[in-house]
Amino acid sequence: MGRDVPALRFTREDRRRYRNKTQSCLDAFARMLRESRFDYERPQVGLEIELNLVDGSGEPAMCNSDVLAAIADPAWSTELGRFNLEINLPPRRLADGGPDAWEREIRDALNHAEERAATVGAHLVMIGILPTLQQKDVGGHALSENPRYHLLNEQVFAARGEDLRIALDGVERLRAYADTITPEAACTSVQFHLQVAPDDFGPYWNAAQAIAGVQVALAANAPFLFGKELWRETRIPLFEQATDTRPEEIKVQGVRPRVWFGERWITSVFDLFEENQRYFPALLPLCEDEDPHATLQAGDVPELAELSLHNGTIYRWNRPVYAVAHGKPHLRVENRVLPAGPTVADILANGAFYFGLTRALVEEERPVWSRMSFSAAEENLHLAARHGIDASLYWPGMGEVPAAELVLRRLLPLAHRGLEATGMDDMWREQLLGVIEQRCVSGRNGATWQSEMFHHLDDNLRRHESLRRMTCQYMDFMHMNAPVHTWPVD
């Protein structure tokens, strides 16, 4: 939900009009799908990275507005919490220029932002959840200034009618309550965007859903929250709980959550937008003046603003995206399951694995989603979030298998094949997927390194001081850009 919104109150008439307008957009979208009015001749990929801000001691820094002003680059924007920022990298063809060019582009942007942030006393950290974040850091004072976040906060709690409860049982146990949605801001992620043709959207979305658990197992990087060691990717259950608009009585009635894996494999992108309309009431019923049918009749491309805004308040782990760029509409799968970090090298390796594996799975004669239940894919996600790279996951033809073994034996060769089909040469593939291979061989990712370093320090230091020292060490290694499986613990 990236668009700015005014601060206002919604009436019953606003909601009725918005529902009608969203249905009109959905009808126009169906017509566009029938008429193939989409740009997909030269598909591109995109990347968003959410980051945390810390002070010189590794503690949260509530200054994103100041940092954003210092960076002065439209690629950067605020996020929900005052201790967050986000960068949107320009879309590109996957194989253009090679991984070195993409890595250099990302590192140059991050290094420039780090230099500018330092002028106002802040530093950037790519990590799933900031280990030094405490419960006192996520009150109402931590909500970013942009009115859209305050409006969203009001609407979520108006729907809930009660405070937010966070309950997690992992290595340790956490019970907490919040009266704002700012605990969501603790969750910082990397989002990969994959542009696809309308006819290919269903297969690519299904493939992304099927491998979501594998992705999280490989890349888990969020073992701590509010001073507690919990799941290896605590970000997954925290995000599910922190944006839940349902009180307990509504949950037991089977009402769908707004952070949603989904409930079935799909045949068309229309299935997802239609589910949005059917299952979820509007959080932000804001209407634009455009009549999408009149726009189509005139031969132009509608923005479908209401459809897109509603979609932006439903947090699927793989989200459909409709957008208009340079006067042409296109469709993207937005992959949202991965945490930020630990390094740019790790992020690009994760991206190569995702892009290559989804392509290979789509091109298989017998798709994996025809041999695997949807509920098994969802269970894989939560097992991976809980146990990280030590998780055992289900895969057709293999049964329950350790995640690292599954990747090494079955999925890495497929990812190589998929990247080769995109035009990526052997050297680039080996460089990127070699990081994934060594992560599996060593059994070490961001979450395992954080846990090991914390326990190494915790013998002699107070708990928060151990987390702070670990965070500072993490930042040093992050800037060196050596993949996390190579990081020492000493």
Side-chain angles (χ1 to χ4, degrees), residues 174-446:
L174 175 67
R175 297 292 185 272
Y177 285 89
D179 59 4
T180 72
I181 61 172
T182 45
E184 177 194 335
C187 308
T188 43
S189 64
V190 163
Q191 291 124 44
F192 292 112
H193 290 254
L194 177 61
Q195 184 182 345
V196 297
D199 289 346
D200 292 335
F201 189 96
Y204 270 100
W205 188 84
N206 290 342
Q209 293 285 97
I211 67 168
V214 179
Q215 287 182 274
V216 169
L218 288 173
N221 194 31
F224 295 98
L225 175 65
F226 301 158
K228 302 277 190 179
E229 186 173 3
L230 299 165
W231 291 20
R232 283 301 184 243
E233 187 54 31
T234 304
R235 192 184 113 263
I236 297 291
L238 175 60
F239 193 61
E240 290 175 340
Q241 295 181 29
T243 55
D244 202 338
T245 57
R246 307 167 302 163
E248 290 299 321
E249 298 82 358
I250 297 299
K251 289 181 186 179
V252 298
Q253 293 176 34
V255 173
R256 280 85 173 170
R258 294 193 92 95
V259 177
W260 199 31
F261 189 79
E263 60 191 13
R264 62 189 174 107
W265 306 116
I266 66 168
T267 58
S268 167
V269 63
F270 186 82
D271 295 346
L272 302 180
F273 284 104
E274 193 272 336
E275 284 180 348
N276 290 354
Q277 170 78 352
R278 179 154 39 105
Y279 293 146
F280 298 100
L283 281 182
L284 301 172
L286 294 161
C287 290
E288 301 292 343
D289 293 333
E290 180 188 65
D291 178 340
H293 294 284
T295 302
L296 282 176
Q297 282 300 115
D300 293 326
V301 177
E303 295 289 338
L304 305 183
E306 294 80 11
L307 191 77
S308 295
L309 178 59
H310 189 46
N311 184 53
T313 63
I314 298 156
Y315 306 98
R316 297 176 187 271
W317 292 114
N318 285 290
R319 178 191 275 165
V321 177
Y322 166 90
V324 180
H326 310 296
K328 295 182 178 180
H330 67 263
L331 297 173
R332 305 195 302 269
V333 179
E334 181 188 14
N335 179 248
R336 301 164 50 82
V337 296
L338 291 179
T343 65
V344 174
D346 286 299
I347 288 172
L348 289 181
N350 293 338
F353 181 75
Y354 167 71
F355 292 129
L357 183 54
T358 51
R359 172 143 185 181
L361 292 175
V362 165
E363 293 179 351
E364 284 192 315
E365 287 188 16
R366 191 179 174 202
V368 65
W369 52 94
S370 70
R371 298 176 283 129
M372 179 182 191
S373 72
F374 196 83
S375 61
E378 182 173 15
E379 185 178 9
N380 277 351
L381 174 63
H382 288 98
L383 286 170
R386 182 181 287 275
H387 301 292
I389 204 163
D390 295 322
S392 288
L393 307 177
Y394 172 79
W395 195 258
M398 299 184 73
E400 299 287 337
V401 61
E405 180 182 343
L406 169 61
V407 172
L408 291 172
R409 286 178 52 196
R410 181 68 61 86
L411 303 185
L412 261 182
L414 288 174
H416 272 283
R417 185 191 309 166
L419 289 179
E420 185 178 20
T422 70
M424 189 175 288
D425 70 21
D426 291 350
M427 182 184 70
W428 296 349
R429 295 198 313 274
E430 291 295 338
Q431 175 183 328
L432 292 167
L433 295 182
V435 173
I436 301 298
E437 179 182 19
Q438 290 306 307
R439 216 183 283 165
C440 292
V441 170
S442 65
R444 303 189 71 223
N445 57 17

Side-chain angles (χ1 to χ4, degrees), residues 128-161:
I129 294 176
L130 185 63
T132 54
L133 192 73
Q134 300 180 68
Q135 194 170 350
K136 66 181 178 64
D137 297 319
V138 294
H141 67 284
L143 203 61
S144 285
E145 296 172 8
N146 193 306
R148 77 173 181 261
Y149 300 123
H150 292 266
L151 190 56
L152 184 63
N153 182 67
E154 291 171 9
Q155 294 301 306
V156 167
F157 279 89
R160 282 187 63 85

